[in-house]
Amino acid sequence: MVRAEFKKRLEKAQRGELEPVDEVKPVDVLNPPPLYEIRWQDIAVTDRLDDGTQRFGKVVVRLYHSEPVARPGHFVGHHAHEKDVDAADVYAAQDAEIDVAIGWYNHGADDFWGIASDEA
């Protein structure tokens, strides 16, 4: 079910049908790179604890992506993570994850993340 939920959200993103702010929002409209955050709330998970028992819970997941102007019609996922809602500073923890996404964005930008030009 969780796999289907992720797939459904990504398919909605491909069609441009995500609902702001519940499903997608800009990360920082004033500072490059132009990243967006796809949001999943309350994803059901099962954790296996060190003692072998299981714990059931819900997590929050984020995927940072871009839609490169130089490659229209493409969607590039740069980083996904489980949001640490129990962190001492949730905003700082999420900013660190955004920094990872920015790093991957910058790493692939020079060769357009491997996306061939439609003009080729």
Side-chain angles (χ1 to χ4, degrees):
M1 281 178 44
V2 172
R3 187 177 298 157
E5 186 172 343
F6 278 98
K7 184 177 179 181
K8 180 180 174 186
R9 181 73 47 97
L10 293 174
E11 288 170 347
K12 282 181 74 174
Q14 288 174 325
R15 294 189 305 268
E17 297 174 354
L18 293 178
E19 296 293 327
V21 181
D22 290 338
E23 296 177 325
V24 66
K25 74 173 203 159
V27 171
D28 184 348
V29 295
L30 300 178
N31 297 301
L35 295 179
Y36 299 89
E37 174 185 86
I38 298 180
R39 312 169 99 196
W40 287 269
Q41 307 290 98
D42 297 327
I43 298 295
V45 296
T46 305
D47 288 327
R48 184 171 309 279
L49 304 177
D50 291 338
D51 65 5
T53 62
Q54 293 180 342
R55 177 180 60 199
F56 302 97
K58 304 268 184 178
V59 297
V60 176
V61 176
R62 299 294 186 250
L63 167 66
Y64 303 106
H65 78 281
S66 65
E67 300 169 9
V69 173
R71 296 296 188 262
H74 289 87
F75 168 109
V76 181
H78 301 291
H79 180 58
H81 71 97
E82 178 182 329
K83 184 174 180 177
D84 186 357
V85 296
D86 296 323
D89 185 340
V90 173
Y91 294 107
Q94 188 151 352
D95 285 347
E97 299 289 352
I98 291 168
D99 287 343
V100 171
I102 290 170
W104 284 114
Y105 177 98
N106 291 334
H107 179 75
D110 288 343
D111 69 354
F112 303 102
W113 308 277
I115 302 169
S117 171
D118 290 337
E119 298 171 8

